[in-house]
Amino acid sequence: MISTVRSASAAALLVLLLAAVSPSSASESDHKFKEGESVTLWVNKVGPYNNPQETYNYYSLPFCQPAGTPAHKWGGLGEVLGGNELIDSQIDIKYRKNVGKSSICELELDESKAKQFKDAIENSYWFEFFMAHVGETQIDKNSDVKHLLFTHKKIVIKYNGDQIIHVNLTQENPKPVEAGKTMDMTYSVQWVETNTAFARRFDAYLDHPFFEHQIHWFSIFNSFMMVIFLTGLVSMILMRTLRNDYAKYAREDDDLETLERDVSEESGWKLVHGDVFRPPRNLVILSAVVGTGAQLAMLVLLVIILAIIGMLYIGRGAIVTTFIVCYALTSFISGYVSGGLYSRNGGKSWIKSMILTASLFPFTCFGIGFILNTIAIFYGSLAAIPFGTMVVVFVIWAFISFPLALLGTVVGRNWSGAPNNPCRVKTIPRPIPEKKWYLTPSVVSLMGGLLPFGSIFIEMYFVFTSFWNYKVYYVYGFMLLVFLILIIVTVCVTIVDQDDRLFPNQLLLWIHIDVLFGFGNSLRCGGLPGIDLVCAEDLQKHQM
């Protein structure tokens, strides 16, 4: 009895469509061909199917090597950062010309090549120019493991007029991988006409039943109900807490005696109204974090909108390229928010604040990327970022992002840097009662973000599933709705949390959580970027 552990005989969809190389009429912009014109099949990378991040050059396995120096095709910045390296396979394919079973090469297996193929088969290696496995492993009744390598590639290409619409590949003719054998690697090409329009060619790769399942709509509805619940809570807090205070201060002058008595018995937020706008100790770090959070919030919103309008999921690396360009162009926002906040709180070292704001997020990503890149280089993975690409990214930051952050800081200091506190800060700090254990920074940080995460975790499931299961994520409309819901939930939770911290004398039945989304006003105090809330921990430390 033979049981298949991993079968790759089923037809698999090509990820990379065949592209033209003849400069006469075909081009990358319109993908139009003449009958009999050469069509290039680009090979890209191989790697374990269960780990999309572990990828290697296609010819790191001993496949048929093209003669001479094959042409390389380097894409945009995002494509290079994605670890793509397109190489001309030199397989002879002519537009609308069927090819019978033809030889690619004769592959002689020695001990080293056989071992490489066996390791690849056992790890279910797949190709990037088509979604398929190298081979399959079978176990016979004598418990002998057989490694089978597919030796024939059947390519079926659908076309409409002068454009390629869809490419399908089936691997056939598996043969045992044994040292000392010679395998005849073959291919065949069949052209089939279709009525599918060129603009709809990518629909074949979209998993509509998965992404448009009812559970996706249910998650949106669930998050929307959470928004209604939280906005109701916030409204009730503000009405119950502040209504009586407004009524007291709105009394007429003939009731001054009662007003003075009530003022002498102040409680809750009124006790700290003269301290809440006291500048924090780490003003430079706080300003940089708030400015970076404002930029990233706008960046995510902008990239999602562009993905909806421009269908960025079609192009290889288009999302990454858009993210980098938009980050550089939105650096003005981080400088403006950071500079204004720093100046309003009486900061003097604005240059230091500007440099930290401009470099906080990029240098953090660079540090993480440097470690990952070192590991990728050590293992020879295509995930390693070339040095030239690093230089390009640095140039974008140095000549676009940094100057815009500098400009934003200057504008923010002059336009929104004037102090606008609604009340005067007292000279002598007021002591703050010691908080209970569940309001300590460590506990609050651990519990922080529960509700915001609950509003987005279903969408994150779809995003990560598309990443690890080789699906194309295209429902950016859902992502936009979830992102807006996340912003509203974050605002509401932050208001509830900060209200609870500023009311030590009241018994509120709210969950004591903090919001870590958006980089907040500090890594502990939370809140959306651009919304100035007071951190009780910073206030207490300042007074101590």
Side-chain angles (χ1 to χ4, degrees), residues 339-410:
L341 177 61
Y342 187 76
S343 181
R344 286 194 301 270
N345 286 274
K348 303 300 181 182
S349 304
W350 68 272
I351 296 180
K352 180 180 178 181
S353 174
M354 181 272 299
I355 294 176
L356 182 60
T357 302
S359 59
L360 179 61
F361 182 74
F363 278 56
T364 301
C365 294
F366 175 79
I368 298 174
F370 179 79
I371 297 175
L372 297 178
N373 205 56
T374 302
I375 299 174
I377 293 175
F378 178 78
Y379 285 99
S381 173
L382 282 181
I385 302 176
F387 178 76
T389 305
M390 293 183 183
V391 173
V392 171
V393 175
F394 178 79
V395 168
I396 293 176
W397 175 81
F399 292 96
I400 299 179
S401 178
F402 189 83
L404 287 177
L406 173 61
L407 177 62
T409 302
V410 175

Side-chain angles (χ1 to χ4, degrees), residues 38 54 79 90 146 154 201 241 365 373 475 510 514:
S38 296
E54 184 183 352
E79 188 173 352
Q90 297 186 0
K146 293 183 178 179
K154 181 181 178 181
R201 70 193 186 282
T241 304
C365 294
N373 205 56
V475 285
W510 314 125
D514 208 37

